[in-house]
Structure formats: C-alpha cells, structure tokens
Amino acid sequence: MWGRIVAAGALALALTGCGGGGGGTDSGGTTPPAEAAVSGLIITVTGVDLANTPVIEFTVKTDADAAFTALGAADLRFNIAKWMPAIDGSGAHWQNYINRASGGAVQGSQERLRAGYAFGTLVNHGDGSYTYTFATDIKDAAANVCPAPCTDAEGKALDISYAPTLTHRVAIQQGNSAYPKASGIYDFLPAGGIVAQPDVVANATCNSCHTQLSAHGTRVDVRLCATCHNPGSWVAGTGGGANVTVDLKAMIHRIHYNNGGLQLPSVIAGTPNAIGSHDFSTVVFTQDVRNCTRCHDGTLGASNFTALGDHWKTTPSITACGSCHDNVYFGTTPDATKPYQTIAHSGGVQGDDSRCALCHGAGRYTDAKDIAIAHNFPARLKAAAAKYRFNIISATATGVGELPVVTFSVTDPTNGDAPYDIASAAGFTSAGASLGIKIGWSTTDIGNHASGAKYGQPVSINALTTAVAGAVPGTYTVAAAVPVPAMLPGQAASLRVTMDGRVMGDVTTAGTFTDRLAVKSAFKDFAIAGAVAPRRTVVDMAKCAVCHDTLSLHGGNRTNEPGVCVVCHNPNATDASQRPATAGVLTGGVDGKLEESIDFRTMIHAIHAGEAANGGFREKGITVYGYGGRAVSFAEVVFPGNLANCTACHTATSYQLGGQWVNTGSSGLLTTTSSTGALPDDAADDLKTTWTAAVCASCHDSSDAAHHMVINGALFNQTLPVASAQVEKCSTCHGVGGDFDVKKVHGVK
C-alpha cells in the first residue's frame, strides 16, 4: 500500500484548455482588508437567460451568510456545457461548448480574463449579486467554431451544436487564490422539462480523503471538472505515442489504479502513465483498487449518493474498463501506438459500448463477467474475515515476578459467537495461518523494558503451537516465559495483552484456504498492581478506514487496531533487527542510517508527511526496514488531504499538548530511541530524543526546526539519563490555549 499516495495536487495536470495549473493570485485580484479573513465562499447561480448569448445571474456570500462584493472580472472564470445522451453506442457524457486547440489536440476551456481566452462582461451590483454575459454565442454555429481537429482522442467528431432539449450546466470558478476556493454549478434545460441528474461521483466522496480536492490552482468541484474532463478533451501523443484522453472516467481510474497488488499493465510493460509532463505511474491508492464503492455510491439515502453512482456496474464502457485493463484491445488488432495491448477482448470485437452491458452489466451473469462480482473481491474477503473474532478473556499471574497466563478464544460472530477449534479448523491449520499473543508494558507509555526481546519488543507467544485447551470448551491458554518486571518510575502498573493473526480463507477457490483474511486484532489491559490504567487513545481507527478501508499490515497479521500496533511500535523500538549487519554489528542502510525509530507517534507522522525535498513537507523522506530486511522508502508518499488537519486521524484534541505532554519529564512518557547502542535488549545505552521534539521533528525535520526545539529544551540523540532529565518548554507556547497552540498554528477547525 505504500508509495506515492494519491494527492489533491496529483490533479494539477497539463490540461491547458481550462487555463492550466498554478495557484497564486494570477488573476490580478486584490484582497480588501475587511474581507481577507473570510474562511469560505458560496456561489449560487440564480438564473440563466439564453435569449441571445448566455447571461447568468449569481450571488456570492461568505460562509457566514454575508454578501461578498470584492470579486472582479479577473477573479472569475465561466464555462457552459451540455449533457450528451447515450447514442450510437457511446455513453452519456458532458461536452463543453467552449473549446480551444492545444498542441494538436482539443480541450474544453473557460472564459476568463487572460490572453488567449475569450471573456464577456461582468457586472458587480455591489450587494453580493453579479451578472455575467458570455462572449461565446453557443447558439450561433458560425460564431462558435469547433477548433481543429475537433475530435476526441480516438478521432470521433465532436458535436458542439446548440441542443436546447438537453440538460445544460453553467459552471463558475473563483480563480483568485487570495480568496477561499469556490465554485458555482447550475444545471438547467433550456427547452424546459425535467433536468437530467448526470453526476457519477459526489464531491463529499472525494473530499473524505482529499479534504478539499483542488486542481489547477482553484478548481474544487467535481461537477466543474466534468465539464472539461470529458471525451472532448485530450492531449496529443508525441513521438508516435498514443493520444491521451483526460476524460474523468479514464483519467481518474488510471491515476488511482495502483495498489492491492494491482498496477496498470501499461506501466508494468514500461509505458509511463503520463499526461503531458506529469507522470502518475507511482501514485498509490490507499486501499484495494477493486473497491469501486469507495468512490461510487448509487444507494438512495446514502450521504455520498449520486444519481449515476451505480454506473460503474450498470453501464460499462470501453473507455472506463479499458482505462485499467489497458492491455486489452477491443478492435480487430491492437493499437500500434499502444504496444502494451497484447490481449484480445474475450468477447470479440467491440466497435462501441452498445453491447458491453449484455455481458458485464450487474446481474447478467453469476461469474466474473459481471463487474459487480469481478470487482467485489475485497468485500468478499471482508465478509469472510468477519466470521472470526479474537477474544482475550483473561490474564492471570500478572504481578511483578510472575509469569502471565492468558486465556483466549476465537469465535464466529455471525454464528452466535460459536468457538473455533484452532487445532482442527482449516483457517488455522492451512499453510500461512498465524495466531499470536503479545504482552507489553507499561500502559502509561509502552516500552517493554526487561521483556527479554531486543529493540523494545514485547513478550511474544505463538498461540498455534503453544496453546492448550482451557477449562471452558472453546477457550485456550498460553503462558509467558518472561516474568513481569517492576515498572519504571512514573509508569502505571498495568500491562497490555494483544491478539493478532492471519486466518486463511477459501474465497478465491472453494476448499483451498489460500486467501489471507485480515481479522481485526484485539487488545485488553490488565493490572500488575492496583487498578488498570488504560493507555491513552490517540488515533481513531474509523478515520483511518476512511482512506484505507481495511488497514492490515505485516502480511495481514495486524489489522484495524492501533491499540495493538503501539505495543511493538513504541518509543524504545527501532528497525535495527532488520537492518544490514555484520557479526551482529549494524553496518548502515540505504538511507545512510544504522537504524530508524519505529515509534508509532514518530513513524506514522513521518510516513504521512513523507514526500521529501521537491514540493513535499519533509526535507528527507523516511526509510524503514521491514521483515526480511526489505528497505521501504516513504520519501514519495503524498498525504491526499490537508496534512495540517490533525483531526483527520486523531481523536478529539489528542493532538494538542495537554495532559501528559505538559510536563513530559515527569508524566511517565518515554523518550524516543534513535540508536539502540551495543545492548539491543537494554535501553540503558540507547541514544534518545526528547518527547515532544521526537513527535514534532517527524514532520518538521529541518535543521532550523531542530534548532528552535533545542533552544526551547529539546534534545536529540542524547544518552538516556541526560534526555530523561531534560525539561522541554514546548507546551509553554504550543500548549492548549497558548499563543502558538498546535490547534492554532495547524489551522485545525
């Protein structure tokens, strides 16, 4: 799943017809002091008159419902398109009336106040209402000429003739980046009647990962995007290469098609997924690409419902299907400009889309021809995994010096929690299955001192090989071989037991049990002395699932439970056990480091802030060595949303410097290991970074940021006693309510 994650900025394409990319105040607009602090704008089209050239009336208000009067001609862009019905074997689609030639291709465009573009007349009425008269007369074929070559990427002629019986869309873009980004969309039928509902994907769906999907500087509405990104817009091939469509249903599929073990066949064959100068070959979708319903939702009443949300399964097309399955050719021979087309369409030659649904439409067949079945594999895996639940029932002998005994079970929640016999059930006896119990301490801040394992790791027990039947049928017990130590000063006398594993399923082929089922991991805290002191909860798994759907790592062993992850990914932990070494002495990895911290609070920040140097946030991307000594670089990861929005991942205000983070040295928090020294199973000779600095520096990794932290009490790479005695002053300014409260400087709403 790791690599270059899909980002909002990934859509800053080479499509010049709409005005190209780039932010900034290229409109030449100014920001009146009284309105500079506005946090949002709402553009509402109130009427359209097509008696002559199109005239639109619209209002602009702030998100506080106040009139916004500052917009001028240089701040706004306008376009108008028609919804073409599905005829002659082609799917329904938008066609812009306003087009321009670019590099031998044709692209949908806008009217804007810029050289090379048409612009009409804008009247600002001074009360938040505006009138715009288009320069383009869409009703006059002689005046509105389709620029050569006037075809789509496949050479089919474009039709920009006025069609009053079709649904039309007027789109307004606020183009001055000094003001909040905003769009105004209005659908209407010039001849009167029922307006079509042509939307396939909702803005809210895109924004659930992207926060605010923004492309070409200030375009933030998918409904606006569709008026240009349709079959009528494309980029001409160079050097004998293929023309590249920027039709949304092709372009977006291709950009997102890289994850779940899947990648574009063309990219695998050596042809980059490029649009102009932008190469999207390494973009990674954050979940299985076959999960179509992540973006498309035609369920009535759903929050992200669109009228054509089920188009993906009811109206297949050559363009949509061929965008991912691009090694398939649908004509009599492969396209000579696409050398990766090596597989003839199994259903024979298809000249258009008219027969696609006969085989691939939902409900047509009960096999993989049906798109809804073929693309349902992730859901089928989840359904199979839902038949297993890991249960930690109890832990005894958890006092200092005792050997803990853990009782557990695995049950089927879809069958009244009936227990599984892990000694005989195929899910546990088949090759690849695993089931583990781990014990870590203390719950104040897990560090696993004296666990007997190296590099801060917990007590680990293989439940499949050591478990014995418990007193209650269907339960099992395992015993630790390491006694519970006395807790460190300031730490709670509680431990955490976790249960994780990989159950094998037969989803792909019945009876084979070769599919890894990602079963939700489990944990439970137990007292060593006194009452249980639960560890703080920082991350909301439901928020992780918004982008990741199922977050399952380490071969599917650890799934959907951050409370389990932190037992291994703790402040004392590094990846040294997987790093290159000679005779037990670390020799350095591809990043020039002997080891890297895998403390969850630093590693996850560093991964999500990952893109290094060229346009990214961190100055240097993080590399972590995983199982088998595999170096994984996160230097090109791009967080798809607003990286400053801490609440995208965190629970409530857990990202703020409150509670334990006020007086870090006496709170029981552990400093973060940067070097494990010569004694990998003993933290005494570790080099440490102080608490808050470790977290903040995982994103703010510049030397200037480090200097700021040091002069305010932070230490980097110091011995344990020195670091632990240090007094950080971070919360003085950055704490809750401070002048530079994290919430304030991150702009968290």
Side-chain angles (χ1 to χ4, degrees):
M1 61 173 287
W2 300 114
R4 188 177 178 85
I5 296 178
V6 175
L11 298 180
L13 304 177
L15 179 63
T16 59
C18 264
T25 54
D26 62 346
S27 65
T30 59
T31 309
E35 296 180 309
V38 171
S39 59
L41 292 178
I42 301 169
I43 301 176
T44 304
V45 177
T46 57
V48 179
D49 183 355
L50 294 181
N52 296 295
T53 57
V55 178
I56 58 175
E57 306 286 344
F58 62 99
T59 63
V60 184
K61 293 185 177 182
T62 70
D63 52 3
D65 201 35
F68 191 83
T69 63
L71 296 179
D75 301 324
L76 295 165
R77 305 169 188 178
F78 304 86
N79 65 319
I80 185 168
K82 61 179 177 178
W83 179 246
M84 305 281 284
I87 56 174
D88 298 328
S90 63
H93 61 272
W94 288 107
Q95 174 58 55
N96 212 350
Y97 280 109
I98 303 169
N99 300 274
R100 56 185 270 136
S102 177
V106 178
Q107 295 167 356
S109 187
Q110 296 170 299
E111 292 194 351
R112 59 180 298 192
L113 196 62
R114 185 174 180 177
Y117 293 81
F119 193 77
T121 303
L122 177 72
V123 178
N124 182 342
H125 299 291
D127 59 356
S129 66
Y130 300 78
T131 302
Y132 179 72
T133 303
F134 277 81
T136 303
D137 187 351
I138 66 172
K139 298 167 67 176
D140 187 344
N144 186 26
V145 178
C146 181
C150 197
T151 68
D152 64 16
E154 304 298 325
K156 298 177 183 176
L158 302 182
D159 176 7
I160 65 168
S161 62
Y162 177 58
T165 60
L166 300 182
T167 292
H168 283 52
R169 172 169 290 175
V170 166
I172 305 172
Q173 175 194 348
Q174 193 292 106
N176 185 345
S177 61
Y179 298 128
K181 300 171 183 176
S183 299
I185 307 297
Y186 184 72
D187 292 347
F188 65 102
L189 196 65
I194 299 175
V195 177
Q197 299 183 53
D199 296 317
V200 177
V201 175
N203 278 324
T205 303
C206 301
N207 290 341
S208 60
C209 274
H210 291 288
T211 306
Q212 184 182 57
L213 184 62
S214 180
H216 304 296
T218 60
R219 287 167 206 153
V220 291
D221 196 312
V222 176
R223 297 170 299 170
L224 167 62
C225 300
T227 60
C228 285
H229 285 276
N230 52 56
S233 293
W234 47 288
V235 176
T238 58
N243 294 331
V244 179
T245 182
V246 292
D247 185 3
L248 274 182
K249 62 178 173 285
M251 182 186 75
I252 298 302
H253 282 148
R254 291 180 63 81
I255 288 175
H256 287 75
Y257 189 76
N258 186 7
N259 200 10
L262 303 173
Q263 192 176 29
L264 287 172
S266 56
V267 172
I268 294 173
T271 299
N273 178 24
I275 301 175
S277 61
H278 297 268
D279 187 353
F280 300 98
S281 301
T282 58
V283 167
V284 172
F285 188 46
T286 52
Q287 57 183 268
D288 196 305
V289 299
R290 294 165 293 189
N291 187 13
C292 304
T293 55
R294 176 62 189 89
C295 299
H296 301 280
D297 195 344
T299 305
L300 284 173
S303 60
N304 296 336
F305 166 82
T306 57
L308 301 184
D310 283 342
H311 241 39
W312 67 274
K313 62 183 178 182
T314 61
T315 314
S317 68
I318 292 172
T319 300
C321 298
S323 62
C324 292
H325 304 281
D326 63 1
N327 56 342
V328 175
Y329 59 92
F330 298 87
T332 56
T333 59
D335 185 335
T337 66
K338 301 176 180 178
Y340 44 84
Q341 288 190 343
T342 59
I343 300 175
H345 177 239
S346 60
V349 174
Q350 303 294 319
D352 55 40
D353 301 331
S354 58
R355 295 187 294 164
C356 297
L358 296 177
C359 291
H360 300 292
R364 296 295 301 178
Y365 288 89
T366 58
D367 59 19
K369 294 185 185 71
D370 184 330
I371 289 177
I373 294 175
H375 284 217
N376 196 42
F377 190 66
R380 290 161 60 200
L381 286 176
K382 289 175 70 174
K387 295 181 178 181
Y388 297 87
R389 176 185 288 151
F390 296 154
N391 310 291
I392 301 168
I393 299 171
S394 66
T396 59
T398 60
V400 174
E402 297 180 330
L403 300 174
V405 176
V406 178
T407 300
F408 69 92
S409 68
V410 183
T411 58
D412 182 355
T414 68
N415 185 28
D417 265 334
Y420 287 96
D421 180 350
I422 63 173
S424 62
F428 300 98
T429 60
S430 299
S434 65
L435 190 63
I437 300 291
K438 295 179 177 63
I439 306 173
W441 46 68
S442 157
T443 53
T444 303
D445 207 12
I446 296 170
N448 304 324
H449 73 284
S451 68
K454 297 179 179 180
Y455 309 112
Q457 293 306 294
V459 174
S460 184
I461 305 167
N462 186 333
L464 290 182
T465 60
T466 64
V468 297
V472 177
T475 67
Y476 301 86
T477 64
V478 293
V482 178
V484 177
M487 294 298 100
L488 296 173
Q491 295 226 306
S494 295
L495 56 77
R496 174 162 292 185
V497 176
T498 71
M499 187 175 177
D500 59 57
R502 181 173 58 232
V503 179
M504 304 307 292
D506 61 347
V507 175
T508 302
T509 305
T512 59
F513 293 93
T514 56
D515 298 309
R516 296 180 176 182
L517 303 182
V519 178
K520 188 179 186 298
S521 302
F523 74 88
K524 197 169 185 178
D525 295 335
F526 297 93
I528 296 171
V532 173
R535 185 187 185 276
R536 64 192 181 278
T537 299
V538 176
V539 174
D540 184 343
M541 185 58 224
K543 293 181 178 180
C544 301
V546 168
C547 287
H548 292 290
D549 188 42
T550 297
L551 187 58
S552 186
L553 301 166
H554 301 295
N557 273 293
R558 280 131 224 165
T559 302
N560 285 354
E561 186 46 81
V564 168
C565 300
V566 296
V567 172
C568 293
H569 289 277
N570 60 69
N572 288 337
T574 78
D575 64 354
S577 65
Q578 304 301 321
R579 288 262 173 169
T582 301
V585 178
L586 296 172
T587 57
V590 295
D591 57 353
K593 293 184 177 182
L594 294 179
E595 55 193 311
E596 179 66 65
S597 170
I598 56 171
D599 184 0
F600 215 54
R601 64 192 179 207
T602 62
M603 184 184 75
I604 297 303
H605 281 135
I607 287 173
H608 285 77
E611 189 181 33
N614 54 346
F617 192 86
R618 287 173 57 91
E619 288 197 348
K620 186 175 183 180
I622 184 176
T623 296
V624 178
Y625 275 72
Y627 290 127
R630 184 171 66 96
V632 182
S633 172
F634 299 97
E636 291 188 339
V637 168
V638 179
F639 186 64
N642 177 5
L643 191 62
N645 181 21
C646 307
T647 58
C649 304
H650 282 267
T651 58
T653 58
S654 62
Y655 63 91
Q656 289 183 279
L657 295 184
Q660 288 179 286
W661 297 93
V662 176
N663 298 305
T664 46
S666 59
S667 65
L669 290 174
L670 299 175
T671 50
T672 296
T673 298
S674 54
S675 171
T676 51
L679 303 172
D681 54 350
D682 186 348
D685 68 339
D686 289 359
L687 295 183
K688 296 282 193 172
T689 296
T690 50
W691 313 268
T692 312
V695 177
C696 296
S698 60
C699 289
H700 303 276
D701 67 336
S702 69
S703 58
D704 286 346
H707 177 70
H708 169 78
M709 296 176 204
V710 168
I711 63 176
N712 285 283
L715 289 177
F716 291 86
N717 305 318
Q718 296 294 316
T719 59
L720 176 61
V722 172
S724 297
Q726 189 67 7
V727 177
E728 290 184 328
K729 302 173 184 175
C730 306
S731 63
T732 302
C733 293
H734 298 292
V736 179
D739 290 343
F740 299 97
D741 184 342
V742 172
K743 180 177 182 179
K744 183 185 297 184
V745 296
H746 276 232
V748 179
K749 305 298 184 185

